[in-house]
């Protein structure tokens, strides 16, 4: 009897130690998410301010950047609010956590669509740059692109909102927020619902489980759709850029700088997108098969806190770096224009494009005859 009591006390102590470790682990995740979300808010708000000061009404090319950055700003504020809410204890914490998660689902999907919209716009810009000499045709194409872009912006906000209306309405009516703040659900995305069988009628439990899997499927489907769309745009942009490199027509140095920077943005924005959302997608797929937390889950929790809440920071970094490179290329082009002949400038551009020696010689000979 005494041995049983001693064994029970040991197991109880080990359980308490495990709970303390888990609490410390998720507290660390809370602080990681807080720091990354704060940096993301700073980065995205700086891009929003930049787009506003550039007067987005007079420059339509700034609009996709503005809406993507504004979406990143809202997402950063959402992550920041979650991190702050996790460490508090309020009477209505379950309701706040549940509805905040629904708002987060809307923001996730909107962010996916705004990213597609911006990368599509960069691809269209890259495609139209060499044909800007035909001003009338170019202006018609710009007007058409702007109309398509406005429709895409409206749908990027409307579709996620309509998709999440059932989760918001039915979830609150069925009281799916019961016990919602437990198991660290205020800080984790799409963690499995807690055991509510004793708290809710069986019908309500079924509705809540259905809504949980509905939200999970919508998120994964949106990510897969965004993934394949971005990959297609990336492949098209790379193919188009290679055609520009092999073309023998004459383009100015600044025009080549614009084309190069557009290609860089089309390449690096998808990289930032995949870095941000791949860990959480992998984590969701794993949790669907293994519900119990393992070391792999813990590692993915940390990656999720580091990457998912830093989308605004990464997008700001990509835009700032490419803009800096663009100004560098423009300065080099102006220095070359002051110190070199058009023939030497053309020769330098062909060698900088990285063509094979034979291709470079042939292209240079053609461009020489064009210039002369």
């Amino acid at each position: 009897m005494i041995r049983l009591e001693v064994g029970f006390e040991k197991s109880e102590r080990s359980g308490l130690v495990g709970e303390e470790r888990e609490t410390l682990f998720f507290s660390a995740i809370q602080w990681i998410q807080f720091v990354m979300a704060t940096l993301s808010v700073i980065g995205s708000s700086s891009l929003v301010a930049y787009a506003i000061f550039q007067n987005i009404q007079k420059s339509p090319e700034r609009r996709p950047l503005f809406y993507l950055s504004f979406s990143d700003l809202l997402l950063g504020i959402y992550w920041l609010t979650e991190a702050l809410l996790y460490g508090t204890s309020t009477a209505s914490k379950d309701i706040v956590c549940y509805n905040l998660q629904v708002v987060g689902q809307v923001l996730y999907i909107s962010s996916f669509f705004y990213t597609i919209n911006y990368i599509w716009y960069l691809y269209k810009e890259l495609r139209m740059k060499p044909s800007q000499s035909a001003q009338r045709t170019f202006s018609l194409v710009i007007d058409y692109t702007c109309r398509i872009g406005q429709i895409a912006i409206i749908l990027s906000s409307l579709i996620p909102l309509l998709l999440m209306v059932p989760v918001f309405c039915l979830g609150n009516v069925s009281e799916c927020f019961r016990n919602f703040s437990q198991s660290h659900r205020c800080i984790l995305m799409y963690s499995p619902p807690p055991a509510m069988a004793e708290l809710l009628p069986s019908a309500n439990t079924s509705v809540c489980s259905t809504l949980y899997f509905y939200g999970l499927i919508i998120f994964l489907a949106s990510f897969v759709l965004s993934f394949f769309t971005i990959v297609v745009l990336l492949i098209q942009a790379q193919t188009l850029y290679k055609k520009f490199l092999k073309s023998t027509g004459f383009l100015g140095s600044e025009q080549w700088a614009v084309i190069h920077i557009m290609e860089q943005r089309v390449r690096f924005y998808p990289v930032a997108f995949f870095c941000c959302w791949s860990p959480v997608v992998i984590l969701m797929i794993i949790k669907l098969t293994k519900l119990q937390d393992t070391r792999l889950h813990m590692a993915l929790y940390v990656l999720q806190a580091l990457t998912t809440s830093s989308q605004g920071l990464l997008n700001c970094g990509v835009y700032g770096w490419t803009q800096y490179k663009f100004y560098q290329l423009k300065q080099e082009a102006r220095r070359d224009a002051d110190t070199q002949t058009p023939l030497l400038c053309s020769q330098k551009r062909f060698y900088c494009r990285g063509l094979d020696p034979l291709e470079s010689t042939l292209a240079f000979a053609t461009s020489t005859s064009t210039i002369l």
Side-chain angles (χ1 to χ4, degrees):
M1 191 71 179
I2 295 174
R3 289 180 181 177
L4 289 174
E5 289 178 357
V6 171
F8 179 75
E9 287 178 1
K10 287 183 178 180
S11 63
E12 189 175 358
R13 287 176 185 174
S14 63
L16 290 173
V17 171
E19 288 180 2
E20 288 178 0
R21 287 180 180 176
E22 188 178 88
T23 302
L24 289 174
F25 174 77
F26 283 103
S27 295
I29 286 183
Q30 176 195 7
W31 282 106
I32 293 172
Q33 183 172 311
F34 176 81
V35 172
M36 299 308 297
T38 302
L39 294 175
S40 183
V41 168
I42 294 172
S44 55
S45 59
S46 63
L47 278 183
V48 168
Y50 170 78
I52 291 174
F53 287 139
Q54 292 292 321
N55 197 347
I56 59 175
Q57 296 300 326
K58 291 185 178 180
S59 54
E61 67 273 8
R62 308 287 183 197
R63 290 176 190 170
L65 173 66
F66 171 79
Y67 287 110
L68 174 60
S69 302
F70 189 70
S71 172
D72 290 340
L73 177 60
L74 293 179
L75 202 54
I77 294 172
Y78 161 76
W79 286 113
L80 195 59
T81 306
E82 268 201 340
L84 293 173
L85 183 65
Y86 178 75
T88 62
S89 56
T90 57
S92 57
K93 188 175 179 180
D94 289 343
I95 301 176
V96 174
C97 280
Y98 178 81
N99 290 290
L100 192 62
Q101 286 272 3
V102 176
V103 173
Q105 293 175 40
V106 175
L107 294 176
Y108 305 150
I109 302 172
S110 296
S111 175
F112 295 169
F113 292 162
Y114 283 125
T115 303
I116 293 174
N117 184 36
Y118 185 59
I119 294 174
W120 173 81
Y121 182 82
L122 290 175
Y123 167 71
K124 297 297 288 185
E125 279 282 293
L126 183 64
R127 188 176 179 180
M128 290 187 295
K129 280 297 175 185
S131 62
Q132 286 188 8
S133 56
Q135 290 296 329
R136 185 176 179 184
T137 306
F138 179 71
S139 61
L140 292 174
V141 174
I142 281 288
D143 292 338
Y144 174 75
T145 304
C146 289
R147 291 196 195 98
I148 296 295
Q150 289 173 356
I151 295 172
I153 286 168
I154 294 172
L155 292 178
S156 297
S157 302
L158 190 61
I159 291 176
L161 190 62
L162 293 176
L163 288 174
M164 289 299 114
V165 165
V167 180
F168 178 78
C169 296
L170 293 177
N172 281 282
V173 170
S174 302
E175 297 184 352
C176 295
F177 50 79
R178 292 277 189 92
N179 208 25
F180 194 88
S181 60
Q182 294 185 12
S183 303
H184 314 285
R185 296 198 73 203
C186 272
I187 204 170
L188 298 177
M189 290 177 57
Y190 295 102
S191 55
M196 295 181 293
E198 298 179 359
L199 298 173
L200 296 173
S202 58
N204 288 9
T205 304
S206 176
V207 170
C208 294
S209 299
T210 303
L211 291 176
Y212 164 74
F213 286 107
Y214 169 79
L216 185 62
I217 291 170
I218 290 297
F219 176 85
L220 291 176
S222 301
F223 177 82
V224 171
L225 176 64
S226 303
F227 177 83
F228 283 111
T229 304
I230 290 172
V231 167
V232 169
L233 290 174
L234 181 60
I235 293 173
Q236 292 289 333
Q238 291 296 316
T239 305
L240 192 62
Y241 186 66
K242 288 178 181 178
K243 286 182 181 179
F244 292 159
L245 293 181
K246 295 179 180 179
S247 66
T248 57
F250 177 74
L251 291 172
S253 297
E254 291 194 11
Q255 201 165 4
W256 269 115
V258 172
I259 290 173
H260 177 70
I261 293 305
M262 288 291 178
E263 186 270 338
Q264 291 288 303
R265 286 177 183 167
V266 173
R267 182 190 301 177
F268 286 116
Y269 268 98
V271 172
F273 175 80
F274 299 143
C275 289
C276 286
W277 295 104
S278 296
V280 69
V281 171
I282 295 171
L283 178 61
M284 287 180 194
I285 295 172
I286 292 175
K287 285 193 79 72
L288 285 175
T289 57
K290 297 180 181 179
L291 297 179
Q292 293 182 351
D293 287 340
T294 61
R295 290 183 178 179
L296 179 60
H297 288 88
M298 300 301 178
L300 289 172
Y301 286 147
V302 175
L303 278 177
Q304 173 189 322
L306 283 170
T307 59
T308 311
S309 53
S310 63
Q311 179 168 304
L313 177 65
L314 290 179
N315 285 345
C316 178
V318 169
Y319 188 85
W321 182 79
T322 53
Q323 197 71 3
Y324 171 72
K325 296 296 291 183
F326 175 64
Y327 284 124
Q328 273 192 331
L329 291 172
K330 283 182 69 176
Q331 291 296 326
E332 289 179 5
R334 288 171 183 172
R335 283 198 301 269
D336 291 345
D338 293 336
T339 59
Q340 299 177 6
T341 64
L343 187 61
L344 292 175
C345 293
S346 176
Q347 184 180 15
K348 181 179 179 181
R349 280 196 302 275
F350 278 115
Y351 279 107
C352 289
R353 291 184 208 174
L355 297 175
D356 294 333
L358 180 60
E359 290 180 346
S360 179
T361 305
L362 293 174
F364 173 64
T366 309
S367 69
T368 304
S369 62
T370 305
I371 296 169
L372 297 176

